Amino acid sequence: EKRLEKLEAMMKGQQSSANNNTQTVKLNNISSMEQNIPNPFNNATSINYTLPQQYSRAKIVITDNGGRIIKEINISGSGKGSIKIDAALLSGGAYSYSLYVNENFVESKQMIQAR
């Protein structure tokens, strides 16, 4: 009986984990981010993105080559959107920017600020 209870608990945990993974995959399939335009850029650049119909929080995080967070930009709405990055925020160099939806990583891309 104890073995059966253990097996049932394990199966329930695996099912719960599978449901969470399915939810993350669904968000990732309908959330996306495009390459910034222009790239490299001097004055400003735009990043286009697509967000799902329902979510609680979304953001784009810009990091330097050392992985330090330079800026976090909260984004909202559903469907297609765009943000503009002012070159004054960054010194010349390469940066990564990543999209997160409900604290789940969706994707990351590179941009170059040419000064």
Side-chain angles (χ1 to χ4, degrees):
E1 210 171 291
K2 286 183 181 184
R3 284 179 48 200
L4 181 58
E5 286 174 8
K6 266 187 177 180
L7 284 170
E8 286 175 344
M10 285 174 47
M11 292 300 290
K12 189 174 183 177
Q14 286 177 348
Q15 187 176 23
S16 174
S17 176
N19 288 342
N20 289 340
N21 289 341
T22 300
Q23 182 180 5
T24 299
V25 168
K26 283 181 183 175
L27 280 176
N28 288 349
N29 285 341
I30 52 179
S31 302
S32 64
M33 181 177 62
E34 297 176 17
Q35 185 65 50
N36 63 302
I37 299 172
N39 190 35
F41 65 99
N42 287 317
N43 300 320
T45 189
S46 295
I47 300 171
N48 296 320
Y49 57 85
T50 303
L51 295 174
Q53 202 75 38
Q54 294 182 340
Y55 63 95
S56 23
R57 184 170 182 223
K59 63 184 175 181
I60 292 177
V61 179
I62 301 171
T63 57
D64 64 13
N65 280 336
R68 289 183 300 266
I69 295 174
I70 304 298
K71 183 148 184 82
E72 284 191 25
I73 304 160
N74 291 317
I75 52 179
S76 59
S78 62
K80 295 183 182 280
S82 180
I83 60 167
K84 186 176 180 178
I85 306 294
D86 188 350
L89 297 172
L90 311 168
S91 56
Y95 297 87
S96 293
Y97 58 100
S98 304
L99 174 64
Y100 292 85
V101 177
N102 293 339
E103 304 303 324
N104 294 307
F105 171 80
V106 176
E107 66 182 306
S108 185
K109 300 204 182 285
Q110 295 270 314
M111 67 178 166
I112 299 173
Q113 205 293 20
R115 275 203 188 197

